Amino acid sequence: MVIVRSINGATQIIYKNKQNIHLATGLNADLELSESSIKRGIECLNLFAERLIGFPIENVRIVATHTLRVAKNRLQFLNEATKVLPYPIEIISGQEEARLIYLGTMTTESTSATDTKFVMDIGGGSTEIAIGKGNDLKPVIVGSRPMGCVTYTKQFFPEQRIDKASFQRAKLAAEQQIEGMVNTIKKQNITIAFGTSGTFKSIYNILLDLGVSDGIITSQRLNDLISYVLEFKSFHDIDYPSLSKERKNVFVGGLAIFSGVFNALGLEAVHYSPSALREGVLYELIDGPNYRDVRQNTAESLSQHYNIDESHAKQVVKTAKYLFNQWKNQASISIPPNLEAILYWAAQLHEVGLKINFSSIHKHSSYILKNSNLPGFNEEQQLLLSTLVRYHRKSINMSDFPYFSLFEYKHIIPLLQILRLSILINNQRNADLNIEAFELKIANKELSKITLKINKRFVESNKLILLDLEQEQKYWKSVNDWKLSIETC
């Protein structure tokens, strides 16, 4: 946990606390977290919560990475966390983690505008890689591989014994994991490489212990270090002043992963950087382009990539904003701005699947949004975006809705209803549509029951709209507590 304050555009760290709970050690073969590992995690969050008392929710961001990405019983962990921590936990994708790591590293490291920069972070359960060019803080390549110092220790060194054969197997496994990225990465012509977080910090400090003053990890230095480590018989025998007891338990696994990647990519040297994921999260939270801007850039990039009809998308977004403002002025509940924004991105991107075919566009668009790398979106935000788009037309099966820990259904339902109406109203794809011909009314105590009032003159020249709305009424009728009433006035 890091707490900082912002002073005249600069950040000042005022508190740090690190607890090594190694959550990934609690994952069994079925990818379920053990009760003991969940307990350790919750105890840590409970401890952190004491220091966060009084912080407004918009000033706190908590991200979870690989272990909660893959844990099948992660909802158990998240539910327990809500009992001790009044802030949401965002599970981020591996690609998003790599992007934030790159951002955190590049905001603190001094590099040339002509450099092609490589950043690698070996975590407990996964390894993230990112490559960027020049002064751009947005990487051009991001990747995540399921290999971490904790999981490799469990897999290749279960007894915490050190031998050359086990180390070689772990190293080759790491090379295999990155095999599919090697040619793409090599074509980037890397000019400077950085390693971040625990494994690299340990290697850097050990090199200092051995008298290497600059701490740069070269091929020769890495090979020498591996030779030194292989002389020990067990993890606990490793004797370097800077290597803590906790780090000894996972260091060899991390070293094997790094050696495999270093060898596969033909790197010449790697510099240690103390900045990584936390600094990337802080940069977006305080100093840099705000979180929403990153996602807006992502939405615009997707729109261009899939050749979305820009004028139509803008009209649907405009309609969604118009209807939502009417809903907001009448509703007894408020929807967070961060969630409202997802409605507008869904409106902007609902046709990304049109290239495949129109008849199942909602399914194709949803699949693309669910499975694409969307920088700036955490895992649940991406899932909500794809879910809204999945049900933007035709029948609605609420029993198929995924579970969300960050969002409430009472907030999601109005977004979906408004999205459906906004798209339907624009079926004629008329950029000059007079959206003021529509007025949305809601029942105070029954927010999912909506009346849509339409100007008679508009209906006279757009008679198909009533037929579309009548069909929409049937879809709504099949959902419990949903009702759509149509009035002309």
Side-chain angles (χ1 to χ4, degrees):
M1 178 173 66
V2 180
I3 299 176
V4 305
R5 65 176 178 174
S6 181
I7 306 173
N8 299 324
T11 57
Q12 182 182 72
I13 295 176
I14 59 175
Y15 182 77
K16 266 190 175 185
N17 192 312
K18 182 176 181 180
Q19 301 290 319
N20 289 316
I21 59 171
H22 297 308
L23 202 61
T25 60
L27 280 174
N28 62 22
D30 296 322
L31 295 180
E32 291 182 334
L33 278 171
S34 66
E35 292 293 336
S36 60
S37 62
I38 291 175
K39 183 180 179 182
R40 291 199 309 273
I42 300 305
E43 287 175 348
C44 175
L45 292 178
N46 191 30
L47 184 67
F48 287 174
E50 293 178 8
R51 192 50 60 95
L52 295 175
I53 292 174
F55 276 69
I57 193 169
E58 63 271 16
N59 287 4
V60 178
R61 190 174 179 203
I62 303 170
V63 298
T65 55
H66 178 266
T67 301
L68 288 187
R69 279 200 294 269
V70 301
K72 292 180 180 178
N73 60 338
R74 64 182 180 178
L75 293 182
Q76 180 184 346
F77 182 95
L78 295 173
N79 289 335
E80 290 294 320
T82 60
K83 298 175 184 178
V84 301
L85 195 66
Y87 306 99
I89 297 175
E90 304 176 38
I91 300 175
I92 58 175
S93 69
Q95 291 89 347
E96 176 64 2
E97 184 180 356
R99 183 188 72 83
L100 288 168
I101 289 167
Y102 183 85
L103 176 62
T105 304
M106 288 304 107
T107 53
T108 56
E109 295 296 335
S110 177
T111 57
S112 166
T114 60
D115 275 329
T116 297
K117 296 162 286 191
F118 172 90
V119 177
M120 177 182 177
D121 186 306
I122 301 171
S126 65
T127 293
E128 277 64 50
I129 288 172
I131 299 172
K133 294 180 180 293
N135 294 323
D136 193 350
L137 294 177
K138 181 181 178 182
V140 294
I141 294 175
V142 291
S144 178
R145 291 293 182 266
M147 53 183 183
C149 58
V150 173
T151 53
Y152 265 43
T153 297
K154 289 173 63 177
Q155 183 177 350
F156 297 101
F157 308 96
E159 304 296 328
Q160 297 197 340
R161 294 175 183 168
I162 302 174
D163 64 85
K164 189 173 182 179
S166 296
F167 189 90
Q168 189 65 18
R169 284 196 298 272
K171 177 183 175 182
L172 289 174
E175 290 188 35
Q176 287 178 324
Q177 282 289 346
I178 200 174
E179 189 175 17
M181 297 181 69
V182 170
N183 289 335
T184 301
I185 292 174
K186 284 185 174 181
K187 287 178 182 177
Q188 301 302 313
N189 296 319
I190 297 165
T191 58
I192 188 167
F194 295 93
T196 71
S197 297
T199 294
F200 288 101
K201 182 179 181 180
S202 297
I203 295 173
Y204 172 79
N205 287 331
I206 290 173
L207 288 177
L208 294 181
D209 292 342
L210 296 173
V212 179
S213 59
D214 60 14
I216 298 174
I217 309 167
T218 63
S219 177
Q220 184 60 52
R221 291 170 179 177
L222 178 60
N223 289 334
D224 288 345
L225 177 58
I226 292 170
S227 296
Y228 295 150
V229 169
L230 290 179
E231 291 179 4
F232 298 104
K233 299 300 181 183
S234 74
F235 288 8
H236 301 293
D237 294 335
I238 300 175
D239 186 22
Y240 293 115
S242 61
L243 199 62
S244 68
K245 181 180 178 180
E246 288 182 332
R247 180 52 58 176
K248 285 181 182 181
N249 293 332
V250 295
F251 176 69
V252 180
L255 182 63
I257 292 171
F258 173 47
S259 176
V261 174
F262 192 100
N263 183 64
L265 296 180
L267 298 175
E268 295 181 358
V270 174
H271 301 251
Y272 165 64
S273 174
S275 299
L277 177 62
R278 285 183 294 273
E279 287 72 22
V281 171
L282 282 169
Y283 180 80
E284 287 195 335
L285 193 61
I286 301 173
D287 291 328
N290 65 45
Y291 193 44
R292 185 177 298 182
D293 285 342
V294 174
R295 293 178 294 173
Q296 185 58 44
N297 290 340
T298 296
E300 291 172 359
S301 177
L302 269 178
S303 179
Q304 294 170 7
H305 180 76
Y306 288 98
N307 297 317
I308 288 176
D309 184 337
E310 186 176 343
S311 62
H312 175 63
K314 284 182 177 179
Q315 185 63 29
V316 175
V317 172
K318 180 181 177 181
T319 305
K321 289 181 177 179
Y322 174 75
L323 294 179
F324 182 81
N325 284 333
Q326 293 184 53
W327 183 93
K328 181 169 61 175
N329 292 334
Q330 302 170 62
S332 56
I333 62 172
S334 60
I335 292 179
N338 199 40
L339 186 54
E340 176 188 345
I342 296 179
L343 164 64
Y344 306 138
W345 288 316
Q348 180 180 357
L349 299 171
H350 72 279
E351 287 192 337
V352 293
L354 188 58
K355 269 189 172 182
I356 301 173
N357 68 47
F358 174 75
S359 63
S360 295
I361 183 176
H362 51 306
K363 296 179 182 178
H364 300 316
S365 295
S366 176
Y367 180 85
I368 290 170
L369 294 174
K370 184 178 180 180
N371 293 282
S372 295
N373 174 29
L374 303 186
F377 287 82
N378 66 44
E379 199 172 79
E380 282 207 4
Q381 290 168 343
Q382 184 167 352
L383 180 59
L384 177 58
L385 177 65
S386 68
T387 300
L388 290 175
V389 170
R390 168 64 180 82
Y391 292 102
H392 82 256
R393 65 194 290 265
K394 295 195 174 182
S395 60
I396 310 151
N397 187 353
M398 296 300 296
S399 63
D400 286 343
F401 260 54
Y403 173 83
F404 295 97
S405 63
L406 297 180
F407 313 118
E408 297 182 59
Y409 280 104
K410 67 179 180 181
H411 293 153
I412 295 173
I413 298 308
L415 300 184
L416 178 57
Q417 291 180 332
I418 289 169
L419 177 66
R420 290 178 67 95
L421 291 175
S422 300
I423 294 170
L424 185 150
I425 287 170
N426 286 279
N427 270 351
Q428 291 181 314
R429 309 179 83 86
N430 181 2
D432 298 322
L433 176 75
N434 178 21
I435 58 175
E436 293 183 1
F438 299 87
E439 182 182 359
L440 185 146
K441 293 288 185 181
I442 60 174
N444 287 333
K445 295 183 179 180
E446 298 178 287
L447 298 179
S448 58
K449 296 182 179 179
I450 288 178
T451 298
L452 192 65
K453 296 184 177 181
I454 313 175
N455 182 279
K456 283 184 178 179
R457 290 184 178 178
F458 178 87
V459 172
E460 288 173 0
S461 56
N462 297 273
K463 294 180 181 179
L464 280 175
I465 191 75
L466 288 181
L467 292 176
D468 290 338
L469 286 168
E470 285 173 4
Q471 178 60 52
E472 185 68 5
Q473 283 179 309
K474 294 177 183 178
Y475 290 135
W476 286 42
K477 193 175 182 179
S478 66
V479 184
N480 288 338
D481 299 324
W482 283 38
K483 184 178 180 181
L484 175 61
S485 302
I486 308 299
E487 295 181 6
T488 57
C489 53

